[in-house]
């Protein structure tokens, strides 16, 4: 497997960057990103209530999953990592550098998710803590009047990450009063192209729907072509039946040509043992080239 090394990675750090992407993708160039950033994004709606395991009511559940399951990286906010990282040193981390709540509707006020910390802050913490921090992440809301600020922050984050041998993952979601359909395949492909223009290693996108508002993996092909050398990750979305989720994931990769997934609720809203099995099944399809049947065996094992 040949891995692309961005040209802004310094020559002396190419080995570190290459090691980060090889380990993170299990040598497949496909990323299984366990998303644990919803504590801010969705407040407690994703962690407490009907249909959500009681285990999920505390942040420790996320770390218990990430430390026991097979994952590429665990993406979450810096503060959670500082609170729990001392007890969970075996986790491969990706630090989310911005977040915002969903209290203000996107059609009421243009969204802006401002950067919280710098890449340099993370590099210093990585050296001091000796945690296995593989990269950083950032969300851009296209269509917002604050888009120029977020694009500028994203470009700088990607460049600084590469200059330090780290991976850069961008969440790119069209939002706001001018966005009529967040699941429009053509719009999603546009977001993928923005991720490529920003130099992202991976870009996390909405799932495209057809005219019947149903997922069609063929509709991802426009986005994966538009993304170029940036790997497309589909968001996991709300919790659904495990086998349906795994089937969609397999189709995203093998029909839509995506290079992974960013899954949170479909993992952490389950009790710990079930969550670990679900994460392992997702990892098997994403980074071990497993079939749907093999993944389901892991799920039921």
């Amino acid at each position: 497997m040949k891995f692309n090394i961005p040209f802004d990675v310094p020559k002396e750090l190419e080995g570190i960057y290459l090691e980060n992407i090889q380990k993170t993708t299990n040598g497949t160039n496909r990323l299984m990103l366990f998303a644990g950033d919803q504590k801010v994004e969705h407040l407690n709606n994703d962690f407490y209530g009907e249909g959500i395991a009681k285990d999920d009511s505390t942040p420790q559940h996320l770390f218990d999953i990430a430390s026991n399951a097979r994952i590429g990286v665990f993406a979450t906010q810096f503060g959670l990592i500082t609170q729990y990282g001392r007890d969970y040193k075996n986790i491969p981390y990706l630090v989310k550098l911005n977040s915002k709540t969903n209290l203000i509707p996107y059609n009421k006020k243009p969204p802006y998710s401002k950067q919280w910390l710098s890449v340099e802050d993370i590099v210093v913490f990585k050296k001091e803590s000796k945690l296995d921090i593989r990269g950083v992440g950032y969300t851009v809301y296209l269509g917002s009047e604050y888009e120029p600020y977020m694009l500028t922050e994203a470009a700088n984050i990607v460049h600084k990450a590469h200059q330090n041998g780290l991976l850069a993952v961008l969440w790119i979601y069209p939002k706001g009063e001018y966005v009529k359909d967040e699941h429009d395949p053509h719009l999603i492909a546009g977001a993928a192209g923005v991720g490529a223009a920003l130099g992202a290693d991976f870009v996390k996108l909405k799932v495209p729907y057809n005219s019947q508002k149903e997922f069609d993996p063929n509709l991802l092909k426009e986005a994966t072509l538009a993304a170029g050398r940036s790997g497309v990750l589909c968001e996991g979305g709300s919790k659904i039946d495990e086998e349906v989720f795994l089937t969609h994931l397999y189709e995203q990769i093998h029909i839509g040509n995506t290079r992974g997934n960013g899954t949170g609720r479909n993992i952490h809203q389950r009790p710990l043992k079930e969550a670990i099995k679900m994460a392992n099944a997702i990892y098997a399809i994403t980074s071990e080239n497993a079939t749907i049947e093999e993944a389901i065996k892991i799920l039921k094992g």
Side-chain angles (χ1 to χ4, degrees):
M1 172 68 68
K2 184 178 180 180
F3 292 88
N4 178 60
I5 301 176
F7 211 11
D8 56 348
V9 176
K11 188 71 176 177
E12 65 272 17
L13 294 181
E14 286 183 357
I16 291 175
Y17 174 90
L18 194 59
E19 182 182 9
N20 276 329
I21 196 163
Q22 286 177 330
K23 287 195 303 182
T24 301
T25 67
N26 195 36
T28 64
N29 215 13
R30 295 182 190 150
L31 174 61
M32 187 284 197
L33 183 147
F34 175 35
D37 60 332
Q38 301 97 351
K39 281 285 180 186
V40 177
E41 302 292 342
H42 303 159
L43 296 177
N44 220 33
N45 294 336
D46 287 349
F47 300 91
Y48 186 88
E50 185 177 352
I52 300 174
K54 291 183 178 178
D55 300 19
D56 211 12
S57 60
T58 171
Q60 186 168 336
H61 182 56
L62 298 171
F63 288 82
D64 285 337
I65 296 167
S67 65
N68 288 285
R70 303 203 70 189
I71 62 172
V73 288
F74 172 44
T76 194
Q77 286 86 6
F78 181 73
L80 283 175
I81 296 171
T82 64
Q83 289 290 332
Y84 290 88
R86 195 184 302 275
D87 298 324
Y88 294 90
K89 294 182 178 179
N90 67 317
I91 295 173
Y93 291 103
L94 184 135
V95 184
K96 190 74 187 300
L97 294 180
N98 71 332
S99 283
K100 64 174 288 299
T101 74
N102 59 358
L103 284 174
I104 301 173
Y106 294 112
N107 61 352
K108 297 296 183 183
K109 185 177 181 180
Y112 180 27
S113 189
K114 186 175 174 60
Q115 184 175 351
W116 290 7
L117 294 157
S118 70
V119 174
E120 290 85 353
D121 290 329
I122 306 309
V123 170
V124 170
F125 176 72
K126 173 180 168 67
K127 290 177 181 176
E128 292 177 346
S129 68
K130 295 180 170 55
L131 289 179
D132 186 11
I133 296 173
R134 308 268 180 88
V136 293
Y138 181 88
T139 298
V140 176
Y141 294 113
L142 295 183
S144 167
E145 69 178 60
Y146 300 105
E147 175 189 292
Y149 302 102
M150 288 179 279
L151 290 174
T152 300
E153 289 180 350
N156 279 282
I157 285 168
V158 171
H159 181 49
K160 291 293 185 183
H162 288 165
Q163 285 188 316
N164 286 280
L166 297 173
L167 304 180
V169 180
L170 297 179
W171 284 238
I172 302 188
Y173 299 143
K175 296 277 189 183
E177 63 175 315
Y178 298 106
V179 177
K180 304 306 178 187
D181 182 5
E182 295 178 6
H183 296 276
D184 174 14
H186 191 58
L187 181 59
I188 290 169
V194 172
L198 290 166
D201 298 297
F202 293 92
V203 54
K204 186 169 178 277
L205 304 170
K206 293 284 184 182
V207 176
Y209 291 163
N210 60 23
S211 57
Q212 285 75 46
K213 304 299 181 185
E214 297 172 339
F215 167 65
D216 180 349
N218 287 290
L219 298 176
L220 278 164
K221 292 178 180 178
E222 182 185 354
T224 52
L225 285 170
R229 292 180 175 178
S230 298
V232 168
L233 312 177
C234 285
E235 66 169 359
S238 301
K239 187 173 77 170
I240 60 174
D241 176 80
E242 296 99 323
E243 294 187 20
V244 172
F245 182 92
L246 294 174
T247 300
H248 284 179
L249 171 61
Y250 186 89
E251 291 174 343
Q252 288 166 8
I253 292 172
H254 294 281
I255 298 176
N257 300 319
T258 65
R259 280 176 40 206
N261 65 94
T263 308
R265 288 166 283 180
N266 274 282
I267 296 173
H268 67 69
Q269 288 186 347
R270 307 177 194 278
L272 181 59
K273 288 184 179 179
E274 292 181 19
I276 292 170
K277 289 180 181 179
M278 184 63 171
N280 288 345
I282 292 171
Y283 184 86
I285 288 177
T286 305
S287 300
E288 294 179 325
N289 292 314
T291 64
I292 299 170
E293 293 73 22
E294 289 168 337
I296 291 173
K297 284 183 181 179
I298 293 171
L299 195 66
K300 298 185 179 298

